[in-house]
Amino acid sequence: MNSLAWLVGAGRWSTHLAAAPPLAALNATIFLAAALDRRFSTSTASATSTASSDSGGDGAGGSSTTPPPTVPVQRLQHAITPQVCDHLRRRGFAVIDGVFGPETAAALRAEVAAVRGAMHKNHTHLVHGGSTGLLEKEHIWEAELMQKETQELAPLCAQLQHDGTLRVMLSLLMPELRLHSQAIKLQYNAGGGGSFPMHFDTDEQVDERRVTAIWYLNPGWRPGDGGELRLYPFPEPAVDVQPLNDRMVLFSSAHMLHRVLPAAAERYCFTIWLSGGGGQRRAGTAGQAGAAAAAAREELRRALSGSEPLAPAAAWRLLTHPQLRKHAAKWLHREEWERSVRESHAAGAGLQQALDVFAAEAGVVHRALAPLLPALVAGPPPAGVPPPAWF
Ligand SMILES: O=C(O)CCC(=O)C(=O)O
Ligand SMILES: [Fe+2]
């Protein structure tokens, strides 16, 4: 297969690194700390909606008296505002503080801690030349709430696994998401440098995950503890989200490149993935969609077949194209992508294989996108190039 066929091919990756679900996520990286910090203060200000007035306390490390019997899910009705959805739609992510209040956050944290004994290690999935390997991430433990025994250890999390309030609120304000189902995962990062390499949470051609919602449960978090979630809302610069207590972050599962920076301290969170469709999108229109996708691929092939660099506007139209932007983002951040792979796994043959997969993928993207790279490096996109759609 030539580079371009691989890149815009029929939805199967011959080479990729995946994080959370099998075959689901691709990995990569860069980031300019000072500029980003400034950008982040602006972006969080507009992304953040304070859902409660009693969220100021730090929850005192989970030492609350009586745990609340249920999660006050009605608070999500206030948390998911039109402003939050607007940010999510336009920028691909949104951050909301004080979602459930400190007591509930402490109780949720205690539940994740209670499930620790039933957790398994998280693995990076390496797909290379048709075979798949699993590479353990250091210090990262996870649990899905499949078993009754685990649900009994974490009743509030089990409530959230089934409660539809978040899904309904997002569906009301963003009907285009067509959300249909959800799944929860509890995560404990033991510190000691635990991190996630760059990845997407899904590939549109693999499943219908649309929105990732992560709640952080870290009352004592301080700068220096690490473990920030770094988002790469390409073509905008990266944004760091501190894993602060009772904070929820929402982002596009398929299009938001992200990673977790090495954590020096223990870190608790859980994730709800909201998925769409239930097959509705494919039913009936599969033929049309297939034809449209084939035409789009053909158009891309033509555009990228030359060897001359494209002018900035033409190049950026392609760089923000749904089929190319994720590769462009990873290529742009390739140094950090490689670093994140090294940071997330122990030295050894598995890490070497992951680095080989990284090098192969970065090389393919480099060759396939060659006419666009001068414009990408010179960035940002010129005025008039439409921003990419996130959902
Ligand atoms: O822990 C986080 O902040 C994000 C984890 C993550 O990216 C994942 O589970 O896919
Ligand atoms: Fe992720």
Side-chain angles (χ1 to χ4, degrees), residues 19-21 25 185 187 196-202 209 212 214 229 251 253 256-260 271 273:
K185 182 188 77 173
Q187 188 210 115
F196 280 67
M198 295 178 110
H199 65 280
F200 298 91
D201 276 355
T202 193
R209 271 186 194 175
T212 301
I214 309 178
L229 173 72
F251 58 85
S253 308
M256 183 60 75
L257 185 61
H258 60 283
R259 74 147 160 150
V260 176
T271 300
W273 281 292

Side-chain angles (χ1 to χ4, degrees), residues 8-28:
V8 298
R12 286 288 158 211
W13 306 99
S14 57
T15 307
H16 78 239
L17 291 174
L23 300 179
L26 302 175
N27 297 345

Side-chain angles (χ1 to χ4, degrees), residues 22-274:
L23 300 179
L26 302 175
N27 297 345
T29 302
I30 223 160
F31 163 80
L32 301 159
L36 284 183
D37 281 351
R38 275 199 301 282
R39 175 145 212 152
F40 184 49
S41 359
T42 331
S43 67
T44 26
S46 57
T48 300
S49 117
T50 301
S52 67
S53 54
D54 60 346
S55 59
D58 70 0
S63 61
S64 70
T65 43
T66 331
T70 57
V71 179
V73 287
Q74 67 283 359
R75 290 172 68 136
L76 290 169
Q77 296 173 15
H78 304 286
I80 306 300
T81 60
Q83 290 80 357
V84 163
C85 290
D86 188 51
H87 204 278
L88 184 57
R89 193 183 276 118
R90 283 188 305 105
R91 310 275 304 276
F93 72 96
V95 180
I96 308 170
D97 283 323
V99 179
F100 290 134
E103 276 104 37
T104 302
L108 287 165
R109 178 183 163 104
E111 287 193 357
V112 180
V115 170
R116 269 168 52 181
M119 285 183 167
H120 51 82
K121 279 307 226 9
N122 175 293
H123 289 85
T124 298
H125 294 250
L126 295 175
V127 182
H128 190 41
S131 66
T132 306
L134 289 180
L135 180 55
E136 188 176 290
K137 289 190 186 70
E138 288 199 292
H139 315 295
I140 309 284
W141 297 86
E142 291 179 348
E144 295 78 28
L145 292 183
M146 308 294 261
Q147 264 119 22
K148 200 158 149 280
E149 298 76 48
T150 337
Q151 289 172 14
E152 282 166 3
L153 289 171
L156 298 176
C157 293
Q159 180 197 344
L160 283 171
Q161 178 173 30
H162 301 294
D163 184 86
T165 312
L166 176 63
R167 211 167 68 227
V168 168
M169 287 308 296
L170 285 172
S171 301
L172 279 172
L173 294 168
M174 299 177 73
E176 71 271 26
L177 293 173
R178 285 182 295 182
L179 298 176
H180 188 262
S181 60
Q182 64 192 56
I184 195 167
K185 182 188 77 173
L186 280 46
Q187 188 210 115
Y188 168 63
N189 181 332
S195 64
F196 280 67
M198 295 178 110
H199 65 280
F200 298 91
D201 276 355
T202 193
D203 184 312
E204 275 181 317
Q205 279 132 352
V206 173
D207 68 26
E208 299 204 56
R209 271 186 194 175
R210 300 260 159 82
V211 180
T212 301
I214 309 178
W215 274 264
Y216 295 108
L217 307 167
N218 303 298
W221 191 91
R222 301 273 177 277
D225 285 350
E228 293 90 345
L229 173 72
R230 185 167 287 175
L231 303 170
Y232 305 84
F234 179 83
E236 290 185 36
V239 170
D240 277 1
V241 180
Q242 300 174 340
L244 297 180
N245 202 40
D246 206 17
R247 166 173 276 186
M248 172 168 66
V249 57
L250 302 167
F251 58 85
S252 163
S253 308
H255 299 296
M256 183 60 75
L257 185 61
H258 60 283
R259 74 147 160 150
V260 176
L261 299 183
E266 285 188 325
R267 175 186 188 272
Y268 288 78
C269 66
F270 66 92
T271 300
I272 292 182
W273 281 292
L274 299 156

